[in-house]
Amino acid sequence: MRPLNFDNRFVRELPGDTDGINMPRQVYDAFWSTVRPTPVANPRLLIHSPEVATLLGLSEADIAHPDFAQIFGGNQLMAGMQPYAACYGGHQFGGWAGQLGDGRAMSLGETINSAGERWELQLKGAGPTPYSRRADGRAVLRSSVREFLCSEAMHHLGIPTTRALSLVATGDGVVRDMFYDGNPQVEPGAIVCRVAPSFIRFGNFELPASRGDIGLLEQLVDFTIARDYPELQGDTQEKRGQWFLEICRRTAVMIAHWMRVGFVHGVMNTDNMSILGLTIDYGPYGWLEDYDPLWTPNTTDAQGKRYSYGQQPYIGHWNLARLKDALKPVIADASVLDAGSQVYADTYSETFGVMLAAKFGIRELTDEDAPWINGAFELLHKAEVDMTLFFRNLATIDLANPTLKALYPAFYRDELLQQYHAEWEQWLQHYCQRLQRDHLSDMERRQRMNAVNPRFVLRNYLAQQAIDQATAGDNSMITKLLDVLRHPYAEQAHCAKFAEKRPEWARHKAGCSMLSCSS
Ligand code: AMP
Ligand code: MG
């Protein structure tokens, strides 16, 4: 396998804990700990992302080389790799959780590709680190398939996200009690190699701030600005201020995208918030099927619903407030920190407003549009309508001859379709009148709508089917899904079965509608 070019600034420029003792502990005065992946029995490459391989300058021959599975399964290091686990803290479910850190993620190094771009490689599930607490540092196949497929699917949807290079089966068993109900089982283990320009989280700043280590905090702030935000100008204080506002802006854009496609992250703790505004840490995430703002896939959050679909924009704001608290000691101008809230709110409403207009196929949203748009969402909820199918099929409405029939396939229950039929008819009439005002041709309108309303998302039950088959030794559905999800806005009529709404058997099935944090 040809070598990659590494330039490991995180470990070179920031203080680290180089004891190499892999024992759970509190780590002070350091942003990282030296670690080594723990070897696995029989690493086997199940799938890779061709786009990410290209990004890194890896050829198909490199991927096929026997060393590839060894390296990305954690059995070998490539020259230049300096594995580390990052030290960070976080607010989990609204409360300060103290030190967390990479308990099962290990960064291998920062590669520089031929275009000069920095891409950090990180294994998830490569064994214990000083941050593993009482857990094993491993990951199971089901959660690894989900992370691999979803991070690539999100990228192809045009949503800022960490990427995934590879999914390697380890050949080792991993014991998990999936629903924390006293039924531990041995599951196949796997390792995903995640790829991003940076894996720094809000929690990396919160931890030194919580300990009053202001010197350490300043070091990380200025490092992040220098490495990950080189475009910022001005003196140190000016840069720090602009940097915080840019994080607020990016976080708003990311969450607006989630809302556009019906993605529910599921665990928006501050340790799962990227400083680059990337979607990170794919755990018990899910996709809205029938439109329900209170839906969350995460069984751990079933009571509080803190991280349900409709809450996400508010939680983004709350999380930024925690970052702001952490940054107070190093940003002298308090008004800059206070401005973050407004930047977030303005960016979110502007970005999501433009998206909403495109989703419904109108040129621009005005205040007068609020009642019928809200009306649509209310009806979608009451009548249990599939969000993805609704918007995609809405584009097929023929203004000369509008009929609700085009939307029937999006309804989950016949009785609710009957019950709300008249209300929907009325809504459609109003909607068509509104469309007439814009004077877009059907064709033009459809193109605009289909560019923001995906035909294909990683439906919860599809991910589960792919997992069930992979667990039985057949990876073909993972491959098929990745293929389809690479072009989520294209019609791909030959793949229509992957666009179908959730079948009835999956309504309450574990993995399809309910997921735990156990992974
Ligand atoms: P998450 O909810 O997946 O973001 O994880 C929260 C924290 O728990 C992070 O510090 C993880 O690294 C850690 N963690 C989760 N699962 C494991 C595991 N199997 N082994 C070690 N640490 C883990
Ligand atoms: Mg996490």
Side-chain angles (χ1 to χ4, degrees), residues 304-342:
K305 299 197 183 294
R306 179 181 174 86
Y307 299 141
S308 58
Y309 172 74
Q311 283 290 103
Q312 297 185 122
Y314 308 104
I315 295 294
H317 186 260
W318 193 89
N319 287 345
L320 283 164
R322 301 292 73 73
L323 180 64
K324 168 181 146 178
D325 291 344
L327 297 179
K328 261 183 200 152
V330 300
I331 296 185
D333 183 356
S335 70
V336 173
L337 286 169
D338 293 337
S341 191
Q342 200 58 46

Side-chain angles (χ1 to χ4, degrees), residues 153 157 287 388 392 453-459 462 481 484-500:
L157 283 163
W287 296 81
T388 308
R392 190 71 186 194
N453 295 322
R455 166 59 85 204
F456 300 96
V457 296
L458 182 56
R459 289 177 178 276
L462 291 175
L481 276 177
V484 174
L485 295 168
R486 283 161 81 188
H487 308 284
Y489 301 104
E491 208 44 46
Q492 301 187 76
H494 59 292
C495 299
K497 69 171 185 215
F498 293 125
E500 279 169 17

Side-chain angles (χ1 to χ4, degrees), residues 149 458 462-463 466 477-485 498:
L149 282 177
L458 182 56
L462 291 175
M477 188 165 168
I478 304 178
T479 311
K480 273 188 211 132
L481 276 177
L482 178 64
D483 247 18
V484 174
L485 295 168
F498 293 125

Side-chain angles (χ1 to χ4, degrees), residues 202 244-259 268 273-274 277 309-321 323-324 336-353:
F202 290 8
F244 176 66
L245 297 181
E246 178 61 10
I247 298 164
C248 294
R249 196 191 65 76
R250 291 192 192 187
T251 304
V253 170
M254 170 186 79
I255 295 177
H257 276 292
W258 293 357
M259 302 306 283
M268 290 177 73
M273 297 293 292
S274 144
Y309 172 74
Q311 283 290 103
Q312 297 185 122
Y314 308 104
I315 295 294
H317 186 260
W318 193 89
N319 287 345
L320 283 164
L323 180 64
K324 168 181 146 178
V336 173
L337 286 169
D338 293 337
S341 191
Q342 200 58 46
V343 166
Y344 177 80
D346 290 348
T347 309
Y348 182 80
S349 44
E350 203 181 298
T351 311
F352 192 60

Side-chain angles (χ1 to χ4, degrees), residues 246-516:
E246 178 61 10
I247 298 164
C248 294
R249 196 191 65 76
R250 291 192 192 187
T251 304
V253 170
M254 170 186 79
I255 295 177
H257 276 292
W258 293 357
M259 302 306 283
R260 167 174 69 86
V261 298
F263 175 78
V264 188
H265 182 285
V267 206
M268 290 177 73
N269 293 330
T270 57
D271 52 304
N272 292 337
M273 297 293 292
S274 144
I275 210 67
L276 290 181
L278 306 174
T279 314
I280 189 171
D281 276 15
Y282 291 87
Y285 67 81
W287 296 81
L288 276 194
E289 289 156 348
D290 51 288
Y291 179 81
D292 177 2
L294 274 182
W295 184 73
T296 172
N298 185 355
T299 51
T300 313
D301 194 25
Q303 296 300 312
K305 299 197 183 294
R306 179 181 174 86
Y307 299 141
S308 58
Y309 172 74
Q311 283 290 103
Q312 297 185 122
Y314 308 104
I315 295 294
H317 186 260
W318 193 89
N319 287 345
L320 283 164
R322 301 292 73 73
L323 180 64
K324 168 181 146 178
D325 291 344
L327 297 179
K328 261 183 200 152
V330 300
I331 296 185
D333 183 356
S335 70
V336 173
L337 286 169
D338 293 337
S341 191
Q342 200 58 46
V343 166
Y344 177 80
D346 290 348
T347 309
Y348 182 80
S349 44
E350 203 181 298
T351 311
F352 192 60
V354 170
M355 289 173 179
L356 260 187
K359 283 184 83 64
F360 283 99
I362 58 174
R363 283 185 199 271
E364 225 179 332
L365 214 58
T366 66
D367 287 345
E368 284 162 33
D369 291 311
W372 68 265
I373 287 189
N374 291 338
F377 284 112
E378 261 167 49
L379 270 174
L380 284 170
H381 185 202
K382 281 196 296 197
E384 228 181 88
V385 182
D386 188 270
M387 178 181 172
T388 308
L389 278 174
F390 170 79
F391 280 106
R392 190 71 186 194
N393 290 9
L394 191 62
T396 67
I397 297 280
D398 177 359
L399 272 193
N401 184 20
T403 156
L404 209 52
K405 285 208 175 68
L407 303 176
Y408 286 178
F411 282 75
Y412 278 97
R413 291 185 197 265
D414 280 345
E415 64 273 28
L416 293 177
L417 170 58
Q418 298 314 324
Q419 190 178 335
Y420 292 105
H421 203 275
E423 274 184 65
W424 271 115
E425 288 280 12
Q426 230 178 6
W427 181 85
L428 186 65
Q429 212 179 7
H430 185 96
Y431 173 64
C432 289
Q433 282 163 7
R434 173 64 182 82
L435 291 182
Q436 304 280 9
R437 283 205 343 243
D438 274 359
H439 301 293
L440 289 173
S441 70
D442 277 353
M443 172 99 132
E444 210 178 331
R445 189 182 76 249
R446 258 166 225 159
Q447 272 172 1
R448 290 161 68 100
M449 293 174 79
N450 288 351
V452 294
N453 295 322
R455 166 59 85 204
F456 300 96
V457 296
L458 182 56
R459 289 177 178 276
N460 312 313
Y461 80 93
L462 291 175
Q464 188 57 37
Q465 282 180 324
I467 290 164
D468 289 342
Q469 292 178 23
T471 306
D474 174 4
N475 303 316
S476 57
M477 188 165 168
I478 304 178
T479 311
K480 273 188 211 132
L481 276 177
L482 178 64
D483 247 18
V484 174
L485 295 168
R486 283 161 81 188
H487 308 284
Y489 301 104
E491 208 44 46
Q492 301 187 76
H494 59 292
C495 299
K497 69 171 185 215
F498 293 125
E500 279 169 17
K501 64 176 178 251
R502 176 202 63 218
E504 209 38 42
W505 58 258
R507 183 180 283 267
H508 299 297
K509 191 176 178 320
C512 297
S513 57
M514 303 178 285
L515 291 140
S516 73

